[in-house]
């Protein structure tokens, strides 16, 4: 089995202790995590930064993709350095766009526009609070805004 760990587009497999690789796959709403150790003598072979992109490839198939969220350095005997790296998968980037809402008797167009505006956090009138008349034909909608006072 071939395992390749790429950090910021560069294969760093030779610096990683393969027995330390731990990929936790969650089947719930929690993000997957990957931890691994980089072992070096005297100095680390490359710089690591928060939010560096990590890709774990197993037998030429992408397995895990995510970002570095933390690491912990330790010194072992005789100048051996160990860096334990923790990564979260890319779903954590998407979590900030999750939206939950309830719409009753609102036209679909208004619901979609309201979700988009809420996710983008725009300071505009909530479109779902307005009323429209909709006519659906051939996959498109025509709308006429009714003036309400």
């Amino acid at each position: 089995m071939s395992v390749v760990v790429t950090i910021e587009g560069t294969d760093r497999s030779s610096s990683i202790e393969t027995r330390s690789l731990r990929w936790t796959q969650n089947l719930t709403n929690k993000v997957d995590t990957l931890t691994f150790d980089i072992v070096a003598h005297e100095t680390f072979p490359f710089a690591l930064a928060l939010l560096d992109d990590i890709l774990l490839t197993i037998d030429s198939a992408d397995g895990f993709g995510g970002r570095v969220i933390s690491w912990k350095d330790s010194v072992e005997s005789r100048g051996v350095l160990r860096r334990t790296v923790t990564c979260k998968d890319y779903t954590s980037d998407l979590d900030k766009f999750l939206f939950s809402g309830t719409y009753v008797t609102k036209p679909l167009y208004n619901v979609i526009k309201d979700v988009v505006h809420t996710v983008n956090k725009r300071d505009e009138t909530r479109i779902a609070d307005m009323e429209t008349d909709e006519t659906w034909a051939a996959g498109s909608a025509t709308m006429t805004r009714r003036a309400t006072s």
Side-chain angles (χ1 to χ4, degrees):
M1 177 183 343
S2 166
V3 176
V4 177
V5 178
T6 306
I7 301 175
E8 285 296 306
T10 304
D11 181 357
R12 300 293 187 181
S13 303
S14 61
S15 301
I16 294 171
E17 190 175 75
T18 51
R19 290 179 294 144
S20 69
L21 277 167
R22 286 187 178 65
W23 179 14
T24 306
Q25 295 176 295
N26 294 305
L27 298 176
T28 62
N29 60 348
K30 294 183 180 179
V31 298
D32 292 356
T33 58
L34 177 71
T35 59
F36 56 87
D37 291 347
I38 301 169
V39 179
H41 299 280
E42 310 269 334
T43 61
F44 288 107
F46 58 92
L48 192 66
L50 288 176
L51 304 179
D52 274 356
D53 289 313
I54 304 291
L55 180 62
L56 173 68
T57 305
I58 302 170
D59 291 331
S60 301
D62 292 346
F64 174 90
R67 299 183 191 279
V68 173
I69 58 164
S70 67
W71 66 81
K72 181 181 175 186
D73 292 339
S74 59
V75 178
E76 297 180 355
S77 62
R78 300 181 191 223
V80 175
L81 305 174
R82 179 176 299 274
R83 175 172 285 166
T84 303
V85 180
T86 304
C87 309
K88 273 200 238 179
D89 72 6
Y90 289 122
T91 58
S92 63
D93 291 349
L94 299 175
D95 282 346
K96 55 189 150 200
F97 297 112
L98 291 180
F99 176 81
S100 175
T102 303
Y103 297 89
V104 180
T105 66
K106 296 291 181 191
L108 179 61
Y109 174 81
N110 290 11
V111 173
I112 292 170
K113 292 298 279 183
D114 187 57
V115 170
V116 168
H117 285 281
T118 302
V119 168
N120 289 330
K121 305 210 184 324
R122 293 188 180 169
D123 294 324
E124 296 179 8
T125 304
R126 290 179 55 100
I127 295 175
D129 294 335
M130 298 179 191
E131 294 183 23
T132 63
D133 292 333
E134 294 180 317
T135 306
W136 289 88
S140 63
T142 57
M143 281 159 269
T144 316
R145 185 172 294 163
R146 283 188 275 171
T148 57
S149 46

